[in-house]
Amino acid sequence: QVQFVESGGGLVQPGGSLRLSCIASVMNFRIYIMAWYRQEPGKQRELVATISSGGTTDYLDSVKSRFTISRDNAKNTVSLQMNSLKPEDTAIYYCNAPGSVFGWGQGTKVTVSS
């Protein structure tokens, strides 16, 4: 059974940084495009960043130059380094493989507030 376990969230002041991590129990992890998503209460989940099996990345416009997605195929992990955080980045963050039928993990909550 595929499982994603996200961690690293917390409360941070505007301008601060956090590093999120996700461990994926997925066979052949390396072949999947992986992504980070986020969801605010009452809103739809949105795609924040993607990384291909070869390391090509793409980002939501509002996080470009602030967030960096990376992966370690040997450890089945995907990370999201978040810098210069803003209050509008507050959400629950999830990892998953876009286009797959994998279920969702519990996510990790990020709160940006002074």
Side-chain angles (χ1 to χ4, degrees):
Q1 182 177 354
V2 173
Q3 185 177 20
F4 299 105
V5 180
E6 300 92 349
S7 63
L11 173 63
V12 63
Q13 292 186 340
S17 298
L18 284 173
R19 185 175 180 84
L20 308 183
S21 295
C22 170
I23 298 175
S25 59
V26 176
M27 289 186 65
N28 299 316
F29 171 83
R30 66 181 64 249
I31 71 173
Y32 291 96
I33 295 172
M34 292 300 299
W36 282 95
Y37 299 78
R38 66 186 181 189
Q39 186 171 23
E40 298 174 64
K43 294 188 178 181
Q44 285 194 332
R45 190 173 283 143
E46 67 176 349
L47 182 62
V48 175
T50 62
I51 185 165
S52 72
S53 58
T56 300
T57 59
D58 198 11
Y59 298 92
L60 183 68
D61 282 348
S62 62
V63 308
K64 282 181 180 177
S65 78
R66 300 190 297 121
F67 290 10
T68 302
I69 188 172
S70 60
R71 66 190 296 162
D72 185 336
N73 289 333
K75 297 181 179 179
N76 279 27
T77 59
V78 57
S79 299
L80 186 68
Q81 177 67 43
M82 306 187 297
N83 299 327
S84 303
L85 282 161
K86 303 176 180 181
E88 51 264 42
D89 295 319
T90 295
I92 299 176
Y93 285 71
Y94 304 86
C95 68
N96 210 313
S100 74
V101 296
F102 300 146
W104 295 90
Q106 294 296 309
T108 186
K109 186 175 182 180
V110 172
T111 303
V112 185
S113 175
S114 55

